[in-house]
Structures are given as C-alpha cells and as structure tokens.
Amino acid sequence: MEVASPAITDIAIQDMGQGLSRVDLVLSNEDAARFDRMTSQLVGEQLTMSVCGLVVAEPHIMNRITGGRIAITGGHEMMADVFDVLSNARDCAGIGS
C-alpha cells in the first residue's frame, strides 16, 4: 500500500532523547480503512515502510492496526527527513544522505 502525503491528515515529530525521534501521523479515513485491512492480512508478518525509496521501519505486525494512527521511531536526522517529506516541506532529494 502506498500512502501519499494527501492521505495524511496530521503529522508531528517528537524528540525522544538519546538521538531518537518519533514521527506520528494520522491517515485520512479512507486510507486508515485501507491500512486496517492490509495490517489485518499481515498479522505475524513484517511490513516494510519506506519514504522516497528509503526504508524507515520494518515492524512485525502483531495485531491489526486500526484508527489510522502510525508512529515511526528512528534516528533524529532520518526522522527529520521523513517528517519534512511527509509534511510536504521538501521533496525526496537528499533524503537519508
């Protein structure tokens, strides 16, 4: 499932300390329903989440994810890049470099 920036209705970044940050995003109702269906089929499997072709998370899906709320945690610089791209602050050029 590909999620484009217009599918995101809210996004925030939070410093978690120790060089980590978390990007929290909320999907539109339509995309939240799609994500719910997809994760219900992937319980017990690994999901690759990428932004601009760069893998940012590979969580194992333990349970169906409902409500369209997603949190991605990683290194501060990478999460800042993810936040900037997903919030339409910039394009993919230079992400992850």
Side-chain angles (χ1 to χ4, degrees):
M1 173 181 159
E2 184 173 325
V3 176
S5 293
I8 299 169
T9 61
D10 192 23
I11 187 167
I13 188 168
Q14 180 178 350
D15 186 343
M16 304 297 289
Q18 299 181 354
L20 298 174
S21 291
R22 184 180 74 213
V23 174
D24 296 302
L25 55 101
V26 179
L27 300 176
S28 67
N29 289 338
E30 179 181 334
D31 286 295
R34 289 176 51 215
F35 194 69
D36 179 341
R37 287 190 302 275
M38 181 184 69
T39 58
S40 72
Q41 296 171 354
L42 294 175
V43 171
E45 297 185 38
Q46 189 172 14
L47 173 69
T48 299
M49 300 174 81
S50 62
V51 174
C52 297
L54 184 67
V55 174
V56 296
E58 293 184 297
H60 283 88
I61 305 299
M62 304 303 288
N63 297 297
R64 178 177 130 193
I65 300 172
T66 63
R69 295 184 180 278
I70 301 170
I72 306 168
T73 303
H76 179 72
E77 284 187 37
M78 172 65 72
M79 292 300 102
D81 285 346
V82 168
F83 176 80
D84 286 349
V85 169
L86 293 179
S87 63
N88 291 317
R90 68 181 186 132
D91 62 19
C92 291
I95 188 169
S97 56

